[in-house]
Amino acid sequence: GGWKTSTKYLPESPGNWDDNEVKEFLDHAFKSISSSIEEQNLRATTIRKKRSVGMIPSNLESPIPREALDETVLRVQSELSKLKSIQVPFCAFNGGRDVWVDVGNKRVGVQILQSYVGISPRATLHIGDQFLNTGNDFAARDVCPCIWITSPDETTYILKKILLEANVVVDTEPQSSPISSPVSDINSQKSSTVDFSELERRSLAVTKMNVFTGEMEKVAN
């Protein structure tokens, strides 16, 4: 049961991915990234997860040049696209400080949500900041309208505008939130209220997280 079973009719659904094919795919991705590190003489290391392979700087104080990140992505994309025996969807992208090759992509993610929730592409909006061919939002353009943003503040503004159009009251100046928006107050309308103060708590939590592994860092007292 669950969403995997209910969305198996979609060709690229995770419910249709073969574990052996996923393993073979990640083996090729790992090999490609390792070769790229060696050939470009990068101070970087590889990370392998259940359904992704990454390249991160060996020393966080010595970032990998943007050109080297893009070069690694383009190499991986080219090599993996030539594999006729592997049909799983994937995304290889420049994360700004790292490179990741994921099984699946945002096209698949959006399609799964559309199917599971029961909404059409025209009723879907994808907001992202990586719409170039070395970014991880690029694939979403195939399945819904998209908005290209450059900061979380822009995302907040867009969400508030959508809520405004839906006659949902937005707390424009929450006491504990550092985010502000030019959206005007519409308290005179009868509707639900959305409080964005939770963003501050989540932002603080992210600062304690290892951005490469997703694990929470221990904070010294």
Side-chain angles (χ1 to χ4, degrees), residues 52-139:
S52 65
V53 174
M55 179 181 79
I56 66 173
S58 300
N59 185 342
L60 297 182
E61 297 181 357
S62 300
I64 303 171
R66 179 183 61 82
E67 295 81 4
L69 295 173
D70 279 341
E71 175 65 21
T72 300
V73 171
L74 294 173
R75 290 187 185 197
V76 172
Q77 288 177 341
S78 176
E79 293 175 18
L80 294 180
S81 297
K82 296 176 183 178
L83 299 175
K84 303 300 182 182
S85 61
I86 298 177
Q87 299 299 319
V88 294
F90 72 93
C91 177
F93 64 96
N94 176 351
R97 291 186 290 178
D98 47 25
V99 167
W100 288 98
V101 184
D102 297 337
V103 178
N105 54 40
K106 291 192 176 180
R107 178 181 66 245
V108 175
V110 172
Q111 285 182 317
I112 293 295
L113 284 173
Q114 289 171 338
S115 173
Y116 191 65
V117 179
I119 56 176
S120 66
R122 65 179 298 173
T124 307
L125 179 66
H126 177 78
I127 302 173
D129 62 352
Q130 292 271 4
F131 282 106
L132 297 178
N133 63 341
T134 55
N136 63 350
D137 292 300
F138 185 76

Side-chain angles (χ1 to χ4, degrees), residues 159-183:
L159 292 176
K160 288 184 177 181
K161 291 292 288 184
I162 293 173
L163 292 172
L164 178 65
E165 293 294 326
N167 293 328
V168 176
V169 176
V170 176
D171 185 356
T172 57
E173 295 183 359
Q175 296 298 316
S176 58
S177 174
I179 295 178
S180 60
S181 170
V183 177

Side-chain angles (χ1 to χ4, degrees), residues 18-28 48 86:
D18 180 79
D19 289 341
N20 292 327
E21 189 174 341
V22 168
K23 181 181 180 303
E24 183 182 354
F25 170 85
L26 293 176
D27 288 343
H28 284 285
R48 179 159 180 164
I86 298 177

Side-chain angles (χ1 to χ4, degrees), residues 203-210 215-221:
S203 297
L204 291 174
V206 170
T207 61
K208 301 174 184 177
M209 179 186 296
N210 185 309
E215 298 177 351
M216 300 302 293
E217 301 283 4
K218 292 183 178 180
V219 180
N221 295 326

